[in-house]
Amino acid sequence: MLGKILLCPEGHGICANDCFATLPEPKKCPQCRQAFGTRLGRGIMVEQIIADAVWNCKHGCALKCCGSEMPNHFEGCPRRPIKCPSCNDLVSPVDLAKHFAAKLHPLKYAEKTSGDGPWTLKSRYSYQFERSMDSAFSFGKPLELERTSSFSFGMSLEGSDELLQVSLRHLRNQSMAMIIYHCVSPRLCKVVLGGNSRCRVTLEFVTRPWKDIELHRVDAADLIEGLSLGVALLAQLAENGVIPVLIEVLPKNP
């Protein structure tokens, strides 16, 4: 019963978000069965009591905090249900790596180099993947920025329950974008893309929230140097069959 509390004509309270919104029409009070009127009362005093009281997290993560702080906790709770980007099953973040492995979703493991050092993953953007996208591109014709193809995989952090989702997107204007999503807390990432000096790029950015995966949005800040580097990377892809990708995830949150 966090957030807004609505009152029936007899004064019984019901939470607006989780309970009232799911009542069948015509909406009636679950306690006295009185119909809710067109003008709904607010339980301001009840809302204040709930906001000041200390509660256990409903997802079972053992955290306790006052009601006013709980909505912020829910955003990054390691036990909250989130949607798997590969199969849409609801899974808690701490179980995502096991879920990816059991379902055979694309999964790679970032190794811890030292106790206080970063997690490191060496991967590659392969020519086989690029060939599979040939029909999605119209080289030599006007290309659409908003239409993308994506090379994505889960990245498990060694010694941690956390999993990140890595997405390397190839846009129709031949530019590329790198986005990494977190399901628990933001991480600072350093990425080296490309295998030779003429088209190698080093990126440093903070991961995005997991909920942004469903937006399928590429922002200007995600672009990798735009068209010129995209063409150079494609040339390297055609020549070598792969583009090396090195990802470092810093152990401390930004």
Side-chain angles (χ1 to χ4, degrees):
M1 292 183 65
L2 298 173
K4 185 186 296 186
I5 302 297
L6 303 179
L7 300 178
C8 80
E10 296 297 322
H12 299 126
I14 184 172
C15 57
N17 296 329
D18 295 331
C19 300
F20 182 80
T22 61
L23 289 177
E25 297 291 347
K27 296 183 184 296
K28 296 181 180 181
C29 174
Q31 291 183 267
C32 67
R33 307 308 298 169
Q34 286 281 339
F36 285 96
T38 55
R39 296 186 62 183
L40 300 175
R42 284 277 301 276
I44 303 297
M45 183 175 295
V46 178
E47 291 176 11
Q48 190 60 54
I49 293 173
I50 293 174
D52 292 340
V54 175
W55 304 87
N56 293 317
C57 174
K58 65 180 181 180
H59 300 306
C61 74
L63 179 132
K64 294 183 179 181
C65 67
C66 61
S68 60
E69 297 174 356
M70 194 63 77
N72 289 333
H73 165 70
F74 287 158
E75 289 289 326
C77 175
R79 293 284 180 181
R80 76 191 189 282
I82 61 175
K83 188 178 292 186
C84 170
S86 296
C87 67
N88 291 331
D89 284 357
L90 292 179
V91 187
S92 66
V94 295
D95 295 325
L96 260 181
K98 294 179 181 178
H99 172 79
F100 268 58
K103 294 287 187 176
L104 302 181
H105 297 329
L107 178 64
K108 299 181 185 294
Y109 295 89
E111 298 180 349
K112 199 76 156 60
T113 53
S114 62
D116 56 353
W119 286 275
T120 303
L121 172 69
K122 293 182 179 180
S123 186
R124 60 185 187 175
Y125 179 71
S126 70
Y127 185 54
Q128 287 183 332
F129 172 75
E130 176 64 19
R131 288 174 62 89
S132 71
M133 299 191 304
D134 283 348
S135 60
F137 294 95
S138 303
F139 295 108
K141 299 179 181 179
L143 302 175
E144 298 174 16
L145 178 65
E146 65 273 13
R147 299 190 64 181
T148 70
S149 293
S150 137
F151 172 58
S152 300
F153 57 87
M155 180 170 62
S156 178
L157 304 181
E158 181 184 11
S160 168
D161 291 328
E162 192 166 359
L163 181 138
L164 305 177
Q165 179 75 357
V166 180
S167 177
L168 180 59
R169 296 185 178 182
H170 188 158
L171 282 67
R172 276 185 172 265
N173 71 345
Q174 298 188 37
S175 62
M176 304 179 78
M178 169 67 80
I179 308 172
I180 300 180
Y181 303 92
H182 65 265
C183 57
V184 178
S185 57
R187 295 282 185 176
L188 181 62
C189 297
K190 294 182 179 180
V191 178
V192 178
L193 185 65
N196 57 57
S197 58
R198 66 185 173 87
C199 61
R200 182 187 299 133
V201 63
T202 300
L203 309 170
E204 184 171 318
F205 54 87
V206 177
T207 56
R208 279 206 209 159
W210 195 263
K211 61 183 180 181
D212 284 1
I213 293 178
E214 296 185 7
L215 299 179
H216 301 290
R217 188 186 73 222
V218 176
D219 296 334
D222 304 321
L223 295 178
I224 302 174
E225 300 292 329
L227 183 61
S228 60
L229 183 63
V231 172
L233 286 171
L234 285 178
Q236 182 182 160
L237 188 65
E239 179 181 351
N240 301 324
V242 298
I243 297 175
V245 181
L246 174 65
I247 302 175
E248 288 188 347
V249 181
L250 300 191
K252 294 184 179 179
N253 298 337

